[in-house]
Amino acid sequence: MEKSNNLQFVASVTICPSDIQKVRKHVEIAKTATDPLHSVLITPLFANPRSLMMVRDLAESGKQVYFDSGGYYVQIGRLRYEELYMPLLQAYRANPWASIFTLPDHVPTTQDDPDTVECKVHDTITYSTLFFQELPDNLKPRAMPVVQGHTVRQIDACLQAYIRLGAKQIGFGSFGTSGKKSEINVATNGSVGLAKYVIQVAHSHGMKVHVFGLGAPALVAMLKGIKADSFDSSSWLKAAGFGQVFLPFMRAYNISHNYTVSELQRGITFNQFDEWKTLTGHHCKLCEELDNLQKHKMYRAAHNLIVLAETIAMVNQGDFSRIKQIYVKGSGKYRQEFDRWLQPN
């Protein structure tokens, strides 16, 4: 059956307790109509106990909490995949209050050879199945196995296994990777095509699909266009740490310094930022005084978080004419993408 759910943003908050407190405080300062912390993701195995307690408070106040498996930490070499299983199972049994429990996946990277990818896909299917069977019965409806693979055959093997399990939601994590430790997910054409295929098959079996680790505002139209149900990102915080700010449907720009040499750290002037705020319709208390946005990381982080929430609201409301105008007048890289990603139905 076809899913027509609104796209949902899940804010990754696997950060220290003081940062969680600061983010919540600055979101309150912003006085915005959106709630960017309505759904959050945390990795219980790598979260400070106080952070986990704060997130539990969010859950008890009605927010959605996604538990991540820690597959990312295997991906960057922090621990071996085999070391994930039992500690994760114990963590889930000890914290049954979350909304979603991600099963242990072994993430292939762009640098892996075909045999390694095949082994990782086999690991993911085998151990996700065993893990699901060992979960308490009351957690099984909230379990989320993850589809991994670089070929349709590998993707199909995951899908068939999870359909047999009766999973109500699945994740997709096999995007291209970059960075020294393959820590950055990249939306290559091939991986986007695989994600779209996964979503079509999953929706035909009544399963929702969560997309892991893609969160630049400029990619939101693509996520909506392939009919993803939800996605998570820590990009709002990482970008803030690099001095970068978001605006709806646009790439990040550095507001701390006027870099012009590096494409990654392209700067934006205050005048240009104000002009693009008008274009996108963004307004929050955090960016009324641009000096604060320039000087303080948490102003940028909360601002970026709010921009992501606004971006989702715009795409869910079907504000296509404004979205297309933003893409056309924004970054050249994405200028043509509206017609490819998000043709109005």
Side-chain angles (χ1 to χ4, degrees):
M1 59 185 171
E2 186 74 10
K3 293 282 184 181
S4 58
N5 295 10
N6 282 341
L7 179 63
Q8 180 182 0
F9 168 59
V10 182
S12 177
V13 294
T14 300
I15 50 180
C16 68
S18 63
D19 277 356
I20 293 177
Q21 287 177 321
K22 289 174 187 174
V23 168
R24 293 181 71 180
K25 174 188 170 185
H26 283 77
V27 166
E28 288 173 6
I29 290 171
K31 298 187 183 303
T32 178
T34 59
D35 180 8
L37 293 171
H38 177 267
S39 299
V40 299
L41 176 142
I42 194 166
T43 308
L45 286 184
F46 292 90
N48 179 292
R50 282 187 58 226
S51 295
L52 201 57
M53 183 178 67
M54 288 179 186
V55 171
R56 181 170 184 169
D57 288 343
L58 288 176
E60 290 174 350
S61 71
K63 313 292 187 187
Q64 268 203 318
V65 175
Y66 285 58
F67 275 170
D68 192 23
S69 69
Y72 168 79
Y73 294 92
V74 175
Q75 183 180 339
I76 63 172
R78 183 95 167 256
L79 79 166
R80 292 184 300 113
Y81 180 68
E82 297 75 17
E83 297 171 326
L84 194 59
Y85 190 100
M86 284 310 299
L88 187 67
L89 187 59
Q90 290 165 0
Y92 285 1
R93 286 170 172 167
N95 297 280
W97 42 267
S99 305
I100 297 290
F101 297 83
T102 306
L103 304 189
D105 58 319
H106 203 176
V107 184
T109 69
T110 301
Q111 290 72 33
D112 288 336
D113 60 57
D115 287 343
T116 301
V117 175
E118 191 71 30
C119 287
K120 287 183 173 182
V121 172
H122 181 266
D123 285 347
T124 297
I125 294 171
T126 300
Y127 291 106
S128 291
T129 300
L130 290 172
F131 195 97
F132 182 90
Q133 291 166 349
E134 289 200 68
L135 275 177
D137 286 345
N138 64 319
L139 300 190
K140 286 177 181 175
R142 290 175 274 159
M144 184 167 71
V146 182
V147 173
Q148 296 289 5
H150 289 175
T151 67
V152 172
R153 181 184 58 78
Q154 291 165 345
I155 296 294
D156 278 340
C158 291
L159 286 167
Q160 289 163 13
Y162 304 154
I163 290 166
R164 284 195 299 270
L165 286 180
K168 298 191 180 300
Q169 55 275 313
I170 60 174
F172 178 80
S174 280
F175 289 99
T177 55
S178 66
K180 290 182 180 178
K181 295 184 177 180
S182 299
E183 73 277 18
I184 302 169
N185 282 354
V186 181
T188 62
N189 288 336
S191 59
V192 170
L194 288 176
K196 186 174 183 178
Y197 173 73
V198 167
I199 291 164
Q200 288 171 342
V201 175
H203 283 182
S204 73
H205 287 85
M207 298 187 293
K208 292 186 175 183
V209 180
H210 178 83
V211 173
F212 280 98
L214 282 184
L219 294 175
V220 166
M222 179 272 290
L223 291 165
K224 181 70 173 180
I226 63 174
K227 295 182 167 57
D229 295 286
S230 58
F231 72 98
D232 70 87
S233 178
S234 59
S235 65
W236 55 277
L237 184 62
K238 290 178 180 176
F242 287 116
Q244 295 175 331
V245 288
F246 289 167
L247 283 169
F249 298 101
M250 302 185 80
R251 55 158 293 169
Y253 285 91
N254 195 297
I255 202 166
S256 294
H257 304 281
N258 191 20
Y259 288 105
T260 55
V261 178
S262 166
E263 175 63 21
L264 178 65
Q265 286 282 36
R266 275 183 62 189
I268 186 172
T269 65
F270 284 178
N271 285 342
Q272 181 71 83
F273 186 71
D274 280 334
E275 181 182 328
W276 281 348
K277 278 170 61 178
T278 301
L279 170 67
T280 61
H282 171 76
H283 173 77
C284 72
K285 291 283 186 183
L286 298 171
C287 60
E288 282 183 352
E289 297 291 335
L290 290 178
D291 281 346
N292 286 331
L293 206 61
Q294 184 180 47
K295 293 173 183 174
H296 302 297
K297 174 186 172 181
M298 279 302 160
Y299 269 75
R300 294 191 297 273
H303 161 86
N304 290 347
L305 193 57
I306 290 161
V307 164
L308 274 167
E310 289 179 347
T311 304
I312 303 305
M314 287 172 68
V315 82
N316 284 336
Q317 290 161 7
D319 194 356
F320 297 123
S321 59
R322 180 169 220 163
I323 294 168
K324 183 168 186 175
Q325 187 180 28
I326 295 168
Y327 274 113
V328 168
K329 293 190 176 181
S331 168
K333 179 179 178 182
Y334 297 109
R335 193 158 292 156
Q336 306 302 320
E337 301 298 358
F338 176 88
D339 291 329
R340 187 163 70 92
W341 286 343
L342 198 63
Q343 283 286 8
N345 294 324

